[in-house]
Amino acid sequence: MAAEKHASVHWEGAGKTGKGQVSTETGALKDYPYGFASRFEDDKRGTNPEEIVGAAHAACFTMAFAFALEREGLAATKIDTRAAVRLAKDGDGFKIDRIALELDASVPNLDEARFQQIAAAAKAGCPLSKALASVPEITLKATLAG
């Protein structure tokens, strides 16, 4: 099975003063604004590529974790995942040098050691983790709620 998803961007203007709009085929993002201020400054009126990568990675990892639990005959009552994607200066440009995933999950009948194993395997096996393998540091802090 193969799935292909689509997204598009429209941009007008120069790098620092220009404006763009991001759209996805599902309509989850439709002409959603982004630009220099929402990427490099604290402008909350738009998104940025790192925020979108973080959301995608958190969503992918969470689903991989849920499937891994299911293979063990388990189901979570809740899974909450956050991703922090750091964009750092790299010579004349920039690079993503760290992604920190934080997982909080409630999983009945699962001990801490097995929980950590399943979470680590889900992180390693998630398609977005694989696609982002060039990021020097991808961390996971996994907390099992009682």
Side-chain angles (χ1 to χ4, degrees):
M1 180 177 99
E4 184 173 282
K5 305 300 179 186
H6 300 93
S8 62
V9 168
H10 175 77
W11 185 270
E12 293 180 3
K16 193 167 186 176
T17 58
K19 300 285 183 206
Q21 297 162 340
V22 180
S23 296
T24 59
E25 70 178 294
T26 63
L29 295 176
K30 175 118 176 91
D31 299 330
Y32 204 84
Y34 83 106
F36 183 88
S38 63
R39 189 172 195 189
F40 296 105
E41 297 171 352
D42 200 24
D43 188 344
K44 303 289 189 223
R45 293 174 293 172
T47 190
N48 57 73
E50 293 72 34
E51 179 178 67
I52 294 169
V53 165
H57 198 182
C60 182
F61 164 74
T62 300
M63 188 176 279
F65 180 69
F67 276 113
L69 290 174
E70 187 175 25
R71 283 191 298 276
E72 298 277 327
L74 300 166
T77 55
K78 80 165 183 79
I79 304 171
D80 293 310
T81 306
R82 291 168 300 287
V85 177
R86 185 170 70 184
L87 184 66
K89 190 82 171 121
D90 183 37
D92 290 339
F94 292 87
K95 70 176 184 178
I96 294 173
D97 72 345
R98 182 181 72 202
I99 299 173
L101 296 171
E102 286 190 32
L103 165 68
D104 293 309
S106 295
V107 186
N109 305 313
L110 182 62
D111 66 74
E112 181 68 28
R114 188 66 185 131
F115 169 74
Q116 293 297 332
Q117 291 172 340
I118 293 169
K123 177 184 151 277
C126 157
L128 262 285
S129 290
K130 291 176 183 179
L132 296 166
S134 67
V135 175
E137 182 182 2
I138 300 178
T139 63
L140 171 63
K141 177 184 173 192
T143 305
L144 178 61

